[in-house]
Amino acid sequence: MRIEADVKLDFSDVLIRPKRSELKSRKDVDLTRKFKFKYAKFEWTGIPIMASNMDGVGTIEMALSLQEYGMFTTLVKCYEAEDFEPYIERLNPDRFAISTGTSDHDFQRLTTIIKKYPQIKFICIDVANGYSEHFGSYVSKIRKEFPDHVIIAGNVVTGDMTQELILRGADIIKIGIGPGSVCTTRLQTGVGYPQLSAVIECADAAHGLGAHIISDGGCATPGDVAKALGAGADFVMLGGMLAGHEEGKGDIFEEHVISDLVDPSTGKQIVEVRKLVQFYGMSSETAMKKKFNEVYDYRTAEGGTVYVPYKGRVDKTIKDILGGLRSTCTYVGAPTLKQLSRCTTFVIVHRISNDVFIKR
């Protein structure tokens, strides 16, 4: 057993300090990024915001909407080759990734899809725990099988494992264990890492090897997205912020709530009807029962199930996120998103126990 005494930070622990700026308007900020990848030999240009490969978020319909803004979607793992047939001509191959697990069935499914649709460029190898030797070996296997594709792999939270997965063949590493709004890994296992510090440390490790990282989880507001990018993340992946929209194709439920308002014509309290959409973590009991029809005796659920307000089309949320990012850049004097991390100074606002500082 050992203890690391260094202070580690989440998004809620900091604010970004404003700086003098020569920008006259938010519209002058360029949010597009250009990336060259370590292994895949092509250049990507777009806005580096990603929809997570979660049920109710990473759908083909979401990808079609987000690509109109230059954004990206990692698709859920349940899509089979035939599911792409009605959409493949409309999907921009620079704007989505096929997601896969690490089983033999996953490998066969992935191979079938890419063989049928060779225009696909991105593969996301997604597991909850990226620290197993099996996972590292699987990344190497996918790199050997698909040498020209961009490989996204994760999740991890430390610099050493970030570099390990890069050397195994990944171009982009997903960073985050436990920060998601419907993830209960930290509660169930005690395992995790504060997300802002994880991004800072893993970005440094990845950039030294010419690779990139995604901050995956923990963003509840546009300001959190800005903090992740300011900390050095190349991409930010969103789940909860994009849940509840029409494009997620989730079931819509109605909730009847007695309000404090009174109908003057009847003298009775008004009953409000609210539309809700089910949203759950991909290691939740809901997800496991949907995929396996049961929760196996040897494991526990590491995700929650909640009902979020139905938000309609995703366009308003996208504009809110992008508008917040542009504002951040104007506050710190960054004319482009690429320059945001260079212009970012974080101020710690969370009150940490004095005992921590005394012991240090």
Side-chain angles (χ1 to χ4, degrees), residues 108-353:
Q108 184 58 51
R109 168 185 160 274
L110 176 66
T111 302
T112 300
I113 292 173
I114 293 180
K115 187 175 294 185
K116 186 171 183 178
Y117 306 110
Q119 63 267 50
I120 291 173
K121 297 180 178 180
F122 289 81
I123 299 169
C124 177
I125 312 171
D126 175 64
V127 298
N129 177 13
Y131 284 82
S132 71
E133 179 61 25
H134 170 72
F135 183 68
S137 298
Y138 192 80
V139 171
S140 298
K141 177 180 178 179
I142 297 297
R143 171 53 64 200
K144 183 178 180 180
E145 187 73 20
F146 304 104
D148 299 323
H149 286 69
V150 175
I151 295 177
I152 302 168
N155 282 29
V156 298
V157 289
T158 53
D160 57 345
M161 202 62 200
T162 296
Q163 292 183 324
E164 173 71 15
L165 293 177
I166 292 167
L167 296 175
R168 294 283 189 117
D171 297 282
I172 309 173
I173 309 301
K174 276 205 305 143
I175 306 302
I177 293 180
S181 60
V182 287
C183 182
T184 59
T185 296
R186 294 178 182 180
L187 296 176
Q188 291 294 106
T189 70
V191 175
Y193 208 95
Q195 186 69 1
L196 183 76
S197 290
V199 168
I200 293 170
E201 295 169 23
C202 294
D204 180 65
H207 295 163
L209 292 177
H212 303 86
I213 70 159
I214 300 167
S215 176
D216 178 17
C219 288
T221 65
D224 293 336
V225 177
K227 291 173 186 178
L229 292 166
D234 303 291
F235 299 86
V236 176
M237 183 171 283
L238 304 177
M241 289 183 71
L242 296 179
H245 292 94
E246 176 67 28
E247 292 83 354
K249 311 307 290 184
D251 294 330
I252 299 174
F253 302 86
E254 289 189 350
E255 180 184 46
H256 295 75
V257 180
I258 299 176
S259 73
D260 294 331
L261 301 176
V262 176
D263 186 337
S265 63
T266 64
K268 296 181 179 180
Q269 287 179 293
I270 296 174
V271 177
E272 297 178 352
V273 179
R274 300 175 183 174
K275 291 184 177 181
L276 303 172
V277 180
Q278 189 182 61
F279 177 53
Y280 49 86
M282 298 312 291
S283 291
S284 66
E285 183 176 330
T286 303
M288 285 189 281
K289 286 183 176 179
K290 183 176 180 180
K291 185 176 181 180
F292 305 114
N293 296 317
E294 64 176 319
V295 179
Y296 294 123
D297 291 340
Y298 61 84
R299 65 173 300 175
T300 182
E302 293 179 26
T305 299
V306 299
Y307 289 87
V308 299
Y310 173 67
K311 305 170 188 174
R313 301 288 296 178
V314 76
D315 301 81
K316 184 179 183 298
T317 298
I318 293 173
K319 292 174 182 177
D320 189 47
I321 294 168
L322 300 184
L325 272 180
R326 290 190 181 95
S327 288
T328 302
C329 289
T330 59
Y331 273 114
V332 300
T336 68
L337 196 60
K338 180 179 180 179
Q339 292 173 276
L340 176 58
S341 62
R342 302 173 189 172
C343 298
T344 295
T345 299
F346 288 117
V347 179
I348 298 177
V349 295
H350 183 67
R351 296 299 298 175
I352 302 172
S353 170

Side-chain angles (χ1 to χ4, degrees), residues 78-86 109 112-114 116-117:
C78 63
Y79 284 121
E80 300 292 343
E82 58 269 21
D83 296 322
F84 289 93
E85 193 66 42
R109 168 185 160 274
T112 300
I113 292 173
I114 293 180
K116 186 171 183 178
Y117 306 110

